[in-house]
Amino acid sequence: MTTYRGRIITFTDSRKIEDFEGYMQVEHGIIKKLSKEKITGEYEDYRDYLILPGFIDTHVHLPQVAIRGKWSDDLLKWLENYVFPEEKRFLDEDYARKMSRRFFGELVRNGTTSAMVYGPPSRESTEAAYEIADEYGINVFMGQTLMDMNVPDELKTSTKKAVEDVGYMAERRENYVLTLRFAPSCSMELMRETAKIAKLYDLRIQTHISEQKGEIEVVKEIFNKGYANVYDTAGVLTPKTVLAHGIHLSEEELRLISSRGSKIAHCPSSNFFLHSGVMKMKNMRKHGISVGLGSDIAGGPYINMMEVMRDAYYANPLSPMEIFRLLTLGGAEVLGISDVTGTLEPGKYGDFTIVKYEGETTEDILANLTFYGNENRIVGTYSHGRQVWGK
Ligand code: GUN
Ligand code: ZN
């Protein structure tokens, strides 16, 4: 049992924000008690710091950790010129291991304790990446990035092998995610057959949707249908599906996604970096679609979620409180883990981040984090009550 003292700011499951100087007690990885009064016994003293729920990144690409800053304003050219050549290198399991160490190391240094991750392009290298993730002990939801067309041959997985691999991983990893790159590089057969396995094992699914206009045209040419309809026909739109971007969706597509209960990973830094456009939060609200924040490394240049918060503000006029909710409770809802993390409340995992702060009121503090937050603010990261990083 360990007690932590600090300024605790968290949303609660009832969507209220709490902010108080106090104590949090964690036992066997689970939060037992929060209190404004001193809890008897020793405590870890973070009295000049914030204790925040661990940050949640709902969309990030592990094999792109080394190509941050490679820029383009054309998604398809960017993929071809930078992403595919780098992802090919991840077929080598040693390289995958080395870069996974760098990736998960950076996540915890930046206060992220839960992430939905696009893994390497093979099942074997993704298993290696999972082994490294285990060493860090954070909540990782990941799958190998599946594709079978319009990409270099080395990156392709046949439907037959994909079906075998997805079943194999689902048997071994409860956090395994069916990861379909996006419709322009996945045949209907690949999507449909793997979605059947996902249904069988009740897996999470992740893919990209409606990020850039040129990409949307390609989808129309290949499938003769709108983007959301393609996924729906394949059985990919489920309540456990996380769709990245969703910038240019029509009303009809938004209605369809909402009716299927699928979620959106909003990646504002990426959307600015690749000049994809601006996702309108009011569209998601109107249709009752859940939204979390994603760094989308390396489409987005920042792995630190406070920098993504800043871009979320520039994309939509949201209050710092609302953006903090998207990062924490919102992200947990999108990943289907709000029963165990995303807020600091008794019964949840001891997933929290210790952060240097400035300001007096809740709003001032969260605004300061949103506009000036970066890696240097993070003093310690705890996952399931264990310190996974600390200065
Ligand atoms: N669409 C398909 N693949 C990718 C990717 O790796 N990054 C981004 N931003 N969009 C994609
Ligand atoms: Zn992405």
Side-chain angles (χ1 to χ4, degrees):
M1 182 123 70
T2 313
T3 301
Y4 302 88
R5 173 183 178 175
R7 182 161 176 170
I8 296 166
I9 303 186
T10 181
F11 271 86
T12 63
D13 284 339
S14 55
R15 296 187 165 230
K16 285 212 297 273
I17 192 157
E18 297 270 0
D19 175 5
F20 61 96
E21 289 277 354
Y23 299 81
M24 180 171 75
Q25 198 172 52
V26 182
E27 188 180 22
H28 303 306
I30 305 290
I31 298 169
K32 285 285 159 210
K33 193 170 166 183
L34 291 141
S35 167
K36 289 179 185 145
E37 311 304 325
K38 186 170 183 316
I39 298 174
T40 49
E42 302 269 298
Y43 56 83
E44 299 265 330
D45 198 350
Y46 289 124
R47 78 176 75 184
D48 296 326
Y49 299 93
L50 300 176
I51 303 180
L52 303 178
F55 300 161
I56 301 181
D57 190 342
T58 64
H59 182 85
V60 56
H61 296 257
L62 182 155
Q64 296 177 21
V65 66
I67 55 164
R68 280 170 287 178
K70 295 284 185 190
W71 63 275
S72 172
D73 61 0
D74 184 297
L75 170 67
L76 301 178
K77 289 202 184 103
W78 176 75
L79 289 170
E80 203 172 301
N81 291 339
Y82 304 115
V83 173
F84 297 150
E86 176 63 13
E87 292 196 1
K88 267 193 225 170
R89 302 179 71 188
F90 280 75
L91 295 170
D92 172 353
E93 287 166 45
D94 287 336
Y95 186 72
R97 250 185 216 103
K98 182 173 123 193
M99 299 312 277
S100 296
R101 237 174 229 117
R102 177 166 165 194
F103 176 77
F104 291 113
E106 286 208 36
L107 282 189
V108 298
R109 273 209 306 285
N110 283 282
T112 297
T113 56
S114 302
M116 195 179 230
V117 180
Y118 267 64
S122 73
R123 190 259 286 166
E124 293 77 3
S125 291
T126 299
E127 282 189 283
Y130 257 119
E131 282 163 23
I132 306 298
D134 287 345
E135 293 173 16
Y136 286 87
I138 60 171
N139 308 307
V140 173
F141 301 86
M142 178 167 64
Q144 75 275 35
T145 301
L146 291 169
M147 352 169 204
D148 70 343
M149 60 185 202
N150 300 325
V151 297
D153 284 343
E154 302 93 306
L155 293 177
K156 292 178 186 167
T157 305
S158 69
T159 299
K160 182 169 174 295
K161 171 130 173 55
V163 163
E164 281 166 19
D165 284 349
V166 171
Y168 175 96
M169 289 301 287
E171 292 279 350
R172 284 161 183 80
R173 291 277 176 184
E174 62 174 331
N175 289 357
Y176 178 72
V177 185
L178 169 59
T179 303
L180 297 160
R181 167 151 245 135
F182 66 159
S185 63
C186 297
S187 67
M188 183 52 77
E189 189 200 16
L190 177 70
M191 293 190 281
R192 191 177 259 150
E193 295 307 312
T194 53
K196 283 185 197 158
I197 310 296
K199 190 167 182 195
L200 198 64
Y201 286 96
D202 195 26
L203 297 178
R204 291 178 176 82
I205 299 176
Q206 60 180 339
T207 190
H208 296 87
I209 195 165
S210 204
E211 183 178 0
Q212 286 204 353
K213 299 252 167 81
E215 163 214 7
I216 296 167
E217 287 310 308
V218 169
V219 172
K220 276 219 181 78
E221 275 165 34
I222 300 174
F223 297 96
N224 202 23
K225 276 194 178 70
Y227 221 139
N229 256 307
V230 170
Y231 287 145
D232 197 45
T233 306
V236 164
L237 297 184
T238 78
K240 294 180 85 166
T241 300
V242 180
L243 302 164
H245 306 288
I247 299 171
H248 309 285
L249 295 166
S250 67
E251 277 288 303
E252 195 190 326
E253 287 181 301
L254 288 162
R255 261 199 302 278
L256 176 58
I257 290 166
S258 170
S259 74
R260 297 292 183 247
S262 302
K263 321 288 194 262
I264 291 283
H266 173 37
C267 307
S269 306
S270 169
N271 298 344
F272 288 130
F273 188 73
L274 296 175
H275 291 280
S276 302
V278 175
M279 191 219 73
K280 297 283 193 301
M281 193 64 77
K282 68 177 187 324
N283 289 342
M284 300 302 158
R285 290 214 169 122
K286 180 176 162 200
H287 290 274
I289 298 170
S290 297
V291 177
L293 296 182
S295 66
D296 194 27
I297 296 296
Y302 316 119
I303 207 161
N304 186 289
M305 293 306 291
M306 287 184 277
E307 308 212 37
V308 177
M309 286 170 77
R310 181 193 60 217
D311 289 335
Y313 174 80
Y314 291 126
N316 288 278
L318 304 171
S319 73
M321 256 92 93
E322 175 54 18
I323 296 172
F324 179 63
R325 196 196 66 77
L326 289 177
L327 173 67
T328 55
L329 181 57
E333 286 169 354
V334 163
L335 300 190
I337 52 175
S338 59
D339 54 334
V340 290
T341 194
T343 70
L344 301 174
E345 290 178 281
K348 297 212 183 185
Y349 292 146
D351 293 350
F352 54 97
T353 301
I354 311 294
V355 180
K356 283 188 216 160
Y357 76 99
E358 282 178 36
E360 298 290 328
T361 65
T362 315
E363 182 163 0
D364 284 350
I365 290 170
L366 293 179
N368 177 270
L369 286 187
T370 302
F371 297 115
Y372 303 102
N374 60 39
E375 180 172 341
N376 299 329
R377 294 291 188 99
I378 312 287
V379 173
T381 304
Y382 291 75
S383 177
H384 298 216
R386 186 169 75 91
Q387 184 161 21
V388 290
W389 188 75
K391 270 187 178 152

